[in-house]
Amino acid sequence: MTYAVVLGSVFVVHVLAMLSPGPNVLVVTQTAASRSRRAGVLVALGVASGAALWSGAALLGLSLLFAQVAGLYGALTLLGGVYLLYIAVRLWRGADRPLVLTPGEQASAQSDAQAYQLGLLTNLTNPKALVFYGSIFAALLTPDLPTWVKAAAFSIIVANSTLWHVALACLFSTESTQRFYQRAKGWIDRIAALALALLGLRLMLPIHGTLFA
């Protein structure tokens, strides 16, 4: 394959994977709709940072560690499932609380840090992402490829993740979306909580699926 075909394949496969709704999409859209565009974008940037770390780890061959260290993958998967269940419980318990939107330009440093951390941890607590990136790179990035091609593939992953999740944050932070969210907050939060809980259980149980969109 030519370099262009390799990089094009990485781009297409990653975009198709992101189109499958998972915990990253849920936390970005729910935060943007319930809080502000600023908060949603910060969560999106946290998710993108997680994608950079996972894909970077895959390029370094750390996915082989899962195969060599017994129980490591299972432990990280269990941790990720517990974290998603924790978010789901918090979201469910707050479903009936009145919505107080925070203006994006007035968000505090603490809430900024919390928003970014939410996105980062949501992505990092899903070790299936490392397996996915490792599979892509193993299939498409052969050892004989130049370093710049591998760096370009890494850049494509990071750019895709950033643009996709920031776009979602901007879309779901519009006034019309937030007005709808205010009217249907209880139902939306409970549905999102159930979805996150199911995704958490899928991580904890031996069920295969794409959970890193």
Side-chain angles (χ1 to χ4, degrees), residues 15 82 88 140 162 164 173 212:
V15 167
V82 170
L140 298 174
T162 302
W164 169 246
S173 64
F212 46 83

Side-chain angles (χ1 to χ4, degrees), residues 28-44:
V28 169
T29 55
Q30 199 278 335
T31 300
S34 65
R35 291 178 56 189
S36 65
R37 175 170 297 181
R38 180 190 181 97
V41 168
L42 285 166
V43 173

Side-chain angles (χ1 to χ4, degrees), residues 90-99 185-187 189-190:
R90 287 186 56 188
L91 193 57
W92 183 279
R93 293 179 63 181
D96 292 326
R97 295 174 188 168
L99 176 63
K185 179 180 182 297
W187 284 105
D189 282 6
R190 287 188 176 90

Side-chain angles (χ1 to χ4, degrees), residues 65-153:
L65 195 62
F66 283 161
Q68 297 175 351
V69 180
L72 177 60
Y73 180 79
L76 290 177
T77 301
L78 179 63
L79 177 63
V82 170
Y83 181 71
L84 291 181
L85 288 175
Y86 166 73
I87 298 175
V89 169
R90 287 186 56 188
L91 193 57
W92 183 279
R93 293 179 63 181
D96 292 326
R97 295 174 188 168
L99 176 63
V100 179
L101 293 176
T102 302
E105 297 301 323
Q106 299 177 7
S108 67
Q110 182 181 20
S111 64
D112 285 354
Q114 290 173 340
Y116 178 83
Q117 183 183 57
L118 174 62
L120 179 64
L121 290 179
T122 298
N123 203 346
L124 288 184
T125 51
N126 185 0
K128 287 182 181 291
L130 179 58
V131 175
F132 168 75
Y133 293 126
S135 299
I136 288 182
F137 294 154
L140 298 174
L141 303 183
T142 56
D144 59 310
L145 287 174
T147 301
W148 73 264
V149 176
K150 298 176 182 179

